[in-house]
Each structure stands twice: as structure tokens, then as C-alpha cells.
Amino acid sequence: ETERDFKVRIVERLGRIAGEDTTQSTNQSNSNSNIGAGTSNNTSANNNVESDDEPEDEDEMERLDTEFVKLVQRIVDKCLKDNQHVLLFQPDCNGLTILHCCSFLGLRSTLATLLNNMPSPEYVNRIDHSGWTALHYASMRDTNTQVVSLLLHHGADADLECHGKLNAHDLSIRYQ
């Protein structure tokens, strides 16, 4: 699964939680940048880029990433406004929560919103089916130092080990 596919899965899941149709947002992104599962090989009318090609323009990639972050934040804000914050912390079929996903992707602002609205402090250390916490996911990427700090500030346990007997520090060394 590519990072783009992962992002679309998050947006679609958040959309279901918030009762929003995110199909248009993800389809637009698909036509521009191959975001999402089940992409087709149709040619986009706007830019004549096949949907299975990544955008070549770095500015276009940045624009799509910015749109993604705004969409995720808007849906999270809507869930919180509608007092459905508990739904944001329910795991998917892999045990992943939105907290895991935002930590991996480095969505610091959205992560801060989630951490400040956790139904219970133990959610920060929730383990997925691979035995990983949000801190494990954040530690995999060298660009996530602020995310790691934010998680630690909210009680993430740096000593928890995943199935491979690696803690967050071990993972940060392995993936750097």
C-alpha cells in the first residue's frame, strides 16, 4: 500500500465516521495523483496524466498534501463538534486508529486536536494488531520529531515494545 492509498483510506474512514461523502475529494485526488484503492487507468481530462502515475510537479504534490491535511482536520473537527469524538478512536480491522495514522503521517495539528480530546489517557498507548502504538509509527520517520514530542507530552510510553521487541527508540534508529 502506498502512502497515498493509506491517506485515502483515512479520509474515507473519517468520512464514514462523520457521515460525510468524501468520494468527490478522493476521486479528484485520484485523477490527479493516484490516491486511493481501486484507481483506474483513465486519463484525467484536466491534466492528461494517467491515474496510475504520480504527479511529476512537486508543487502539485504539495498542494494535494495540503488539501489532504485540511480535509482530515475538517472531518476531525466535525466529529468533535457533533460530540462523536469516541468514534475517532475506534480501531479499524487492523487495530489502527486515526491517532496511529496521524502519527505516522506527521499531521501534528490534527494529532494535537485528537490528543486534547481523547476520551481517556490510555488511548495514546493503544496497540494495533502488529503491537505498535502511535509512538512506534511516529518514530519510523525522521521528520516526525515534533510528533514524537507531542505524543510523549500526552503520556505515550516510550518503553512499550512491539511484537519484534523493539521500542520507539529502536524503531527510530532502524528506520533512519
Side-chain angles (χ1 to χ4, degrees):
E1 179 176 51
T2 68
E3 185 171 315
R4 292 228 172 268
D5 293 339
F6 186 65
K7 287 178 178 180
V8 165
R9 213 164 34 102
I10 293 167
V11 168
E12 289 172 348
R13 180 169 174 223
L14 282 170
R16 284 191 303 273
I17 290 169
E20 269 192 32
D21 180 15
T22 58
T23 314
Q24 183 178 5
S25 299
T26 56
N27 284 343
Q28 178 182 0
S29 297
N30 277 340
S31 69
N32 290 329
S33 67
N34 187 32
I35 296 178
T39 58
S40 66
N41 288 327
N42 296 335
T43 302
S44 169
N46 294 338
N47 56 10
N48 292 329
V49 174
E50 286 188 24
S51 64
D52 60 353
D53 290 341
E54 291 291 324
E56 294 177 21
D57 186 346
E58 212 170 290
D59 291 337
E60 177 69 3
M61 291 288 287
E62 189 173 322
R63 183 188 66 75
L64 292 171
D65 285 344
T66 300
E67 286 178 14
F68 168 77
V69 171
K70 287 179 183 177
L71 181 62
V72 171
Q73 184 67 52
R74 190 188 75 213
I75 294 171
V76 167
D77 289 344
K78 182 181 187 302
C79 285
L80 294 173
K81 178 180 168 246
D82 294 346
N83 201 26
Q84 296 192 24
H85 60 282
V86 174
L87 295 175
L88 292 171
F89 296 92
Q90 289 182 344
D92 68 7
C93 62
N94 298 313
L96 286 171
T97 66
I98 300 304
L99 205 62
H100 289 108
C101 300
C102 289
S103 297
F104 175 73
L105 294 171
L107 304 180
R108 191 169 47 99
S109 177
T110 304
L111 184 63
T113 300
L114 290 168
L115 290 168
N116 289 326
N117 289 281
M118 282 188 298
S120 174
E122 67 261 8
Y123 280 89
V124 75
N125 289 312
R126 180 167 273 175
I127 297 171
D128 71 1
H129 295 281
S130 298
W132 290 40
T133 66
L135 185 60
H136 288 113
Y137 283 103
S139 298
M140 289 177 56
R141 303 178 87 168
D142 61 347
T143 57
N144 280 349
T145 55
Q146 291 179 332
V147 170
V148 168
S149 295
L150 188 61
L151 289 165
L152 291 170
H153 177 76
H154 280 84
D157 186 347
D159 295 323
L160 283 176
E161 295 179 346
C162 61
H163 289 309
K165 305 296 181 213
L166 301 173
N167 63 28
H169 178 72
D170 299 329
L171 287 172
S172 69
I173 292 169
R174 175 178 270 186
Y175 288 99
Q176 305 302 312

